[in-house]
Amino acid sequence: MLSSTDRRYDLILLGATGYTGRLCAEYIACSLPKDLTWAVSGRSHERLSAVVEELKSINADRKHPVVETSSLSIDELTSLAKKTRLILNTVGPYFRYSSPVIQACAETGTHYLDVTGETPWVYEMIQKYHETARDNGAIIIPEIGLESSPSDLLAWTLTNLIRDHLSVGTREIVASVHTMKSLPSGGTLATIVGILDHYSLSEFIKACAPWALSPIPGPAKSKPVPFLTRMFGVRKSEHLGTLTTSLGAGPNVAIVQRTWGLLGGPKCYGSRFRYNEYMRVKNSLAGAIIHAAVSLGFIALAIPPIRWLIQIVAHNFYAPGQGASKDTTAEDLFELRAVAEADQDQSIPRKAMAKFRYDGGIYHLTGIFLAEAAMVILKEDELVKKLHGGLLTPAMLGQPFINRLRNAGIVLEGRIMPEQ
């Protein structure tokens, strides 16, 4: 394994000509240290050079990225990985293109971050490369974007609040997408309709089973889900309002569960811990309709001819590599709220509440996540030594990651609620 001093670059942004990649490159050029040594990579030298010229016009007073062309073959990716301390990967769908990227990073001890939300692919990568990455000291964190940084960091914040103030574990966290104003990119749409063509139904079910990503068995269910919630998908929360099924809940729940396991399960989060995520709706009727629509949508995606039709419609909406313009996303907003219940044997357990909020486009937010997480790994030597390596989760970057996100304009705050 090469040492960091043998590497030419601090980081390489792979997929810089795509929609998310360009936004990440802009954020790096405008917000990261001017002495950062970095490169942009992809298949087309011409398109990459055009990205570099755009970055020069945005911020001329800094080191500009070098162009490193590379295919997605394991040989070229291995050569690329050996040149850098860290790779930011925005090449999706990840299940189709990015397995060799993780392989190259795991085998060369190169740190890696991506913004997938593809749980079956993450499960596959854990099975194949976690031990290799750990042996070689490569910190590999998939899903460090909208899936699943907000959820994972809120869960980490709340469990630490309860442990620090009440000296007990956390029994349950209920999270809710309080507000989301945004449109999906073409890459996101392509992933949603394509992943079931890649994985069999049995593989999908196995990877998405409760606690499937956790390195240790999860706690037994301590409280059954109410019948009406199971039937109609609606849940009432005193602090969060009326809740229903959330499209993004699956990947987020899986990552939070993996963090629980990586941190020792009962030792940190609690022995009866569970995490559930929903979205806020106006009333129970709206919640039931959304739940039914989501359920029928998943059934439809399992039918190949319907999937094919959806792919055509999605391609006409935004092709992969395309997304909303800056003007369109100027008033976008994402806010996630969560309430945690302490694991106390009393009639009304104490609670804590937290929120994550970003005013702006979610793909701009994704670029912030990637860049700021990269800086944590590049600058926090003691944390890197402690983590050592493996396929990890956003919350493993802990308070340094949260601090950097706050400095970037993101609201992430929590508090213990008054005793009732």
Side-chain angles (χ1 to χ4, degrees), residues 19-68:
Y19 181 63
T20 302
R22 290 196 304 272
L23 293 173
C24 183
E26 289 179 12
Y27 183 81
I28 292 171
C30 294
S31 303
L32 293 197
K34 293 181 179 180
D35 62 350
L36 184 79
T37 303
W38 64 302
V40 291
S41 185
R43 290 175 296 180
S44 170
H45 190 280
E46 182 179 355
R47 292 178 64 196
L48 289 167
S49 297
V51 170
V52 173
E53 290 304 313
E54 289 176 14
L55 297 177
K56 288 179 180 179
S57 67
I58 293 172
N59 188 355
D61 187 27
R62 66 159 300 130
K63 275 188 180 179
H64 299 296
V66 176
V67 171
E68 289 277 355

Side-chain angles (χ1 to χ4, degrees), residues 76-334:
E76 291 196 26
L77 288 169
T78 298
S79 177
L80 188 73
K82 288 179 178 179
K83 296 178 181 180
T84 185
R85 296 171 62 192
L86 185 148
I87 284 181
L88 302 180
N89 181 20
T90 62
V91 180
Y94 289 86
F95 68 84
R96 185 170 293 145
Y97 299 119
S98 290
S99 297
V101 188
I102 283 190
Q103 179 185 349
C105 288
E107 292 176 348
T108 60
T110 302
H111 306 311
Y112 168 98
L113 303 169
D114 74 35
V115 288
T116 185
E118 303 156 33
T119 302
W121 179 74
V122 174
Y123 177 86
E124 180 188 354
M125 295 299 99
I126 291 169
Q127 304 308 309
K128 288 183 175 179
Y129 301 117
H130 174 71
E131 293 302 328
T132 301
R134 183 162 182 79
D135 290 344
N136 291 321
I139 295 172
I140 294 179
I141 306 181
E143 295 198 41
I144 205 157
L146 192 68
E147 288 114 0
S148 298
S149 282
S151 304
D152 205 25
L153 294 175
L154 280 190
W156 186 88
T157 297
L158 286 166
T159 53
N160 277 281
L161 269 173
I162 286 175
R163 181 74 68 185
D164 292 345
H165 286 81
L166 306 175
S167 300
V168 296
T170 300
R171 182 176 299 170
E172 181 182 27
I173 295 176
V174 177
S176 169
V177 178
H178 187 75
T179 308
M180 183 169 177
K181 300 177 182 177
S182 190
L183 292 172
S185 71
T188 299
L189 294 171
T191 298
I192 291 171
V193 298
I195 196 166
L196 281 173
D197 286 328
H198 186 80
Y199 292 100
S200 68
L201 186 59
S202 62
E203 289 173 325
F204 200 93
I205 292 171
K206 182 179 181 180
C208 296
W211 305 97
L213 298 192
S214 174
I216 60 176
K221 287 186 178 180
S222 58
K223 183 179 177 181
V225 178
F227 172 77
L228 290 178
T229 298
R230 284 188 282 116
M231 179 64 67
F232 299 106
V234 176
R235 176 170 179 168
K236 297 281 188 175
S237 169
E238 176 186 357
H239 304 286
L240 301 174
T242 303
L243 312 177
T244 192
T245 303
S246 170
L247 272 173
N252 297 334
V253 171
I255 289 297
V256 172
Q257 290 174 345
R258 180 162 179 78
T259 299
W260 175 88
L262 289 169
L263 291 175
K267 296 178 184 178
C268 186
Y269 279 21
S271 60
R272 294 191 285 182
F273 176 81
R274 63 185 183 275
Y275 176 90
N276 293 295
E277 188 169 307
Y278 306 90
M279 64 179 291
R280 182 178 67 106
V281 289
K282 291 182 179 180
N283 52 54
S284 296
L285 177 60
I289 292 171
I290 290 172
H291 173 72
V294 171
S295 301
L296 290 172
F298 278 120
I299 293 171
L301 284 171
I303 302 171
I306 295 179
R307 216 157 50 234
W308 176 77
L309 287 173
I310 294 173
Q311 282 179 319
I312 293 174
V313 173
H315 186 82
N316 289 330
F317 183 68
Y318 281 132
Q322 297 179 344
S325 66
K326 284 185 179 180
D327 291 340
T328 305
T329 62
E331 297 185 3
D332 283 0
L333 168 64
F334 174 78

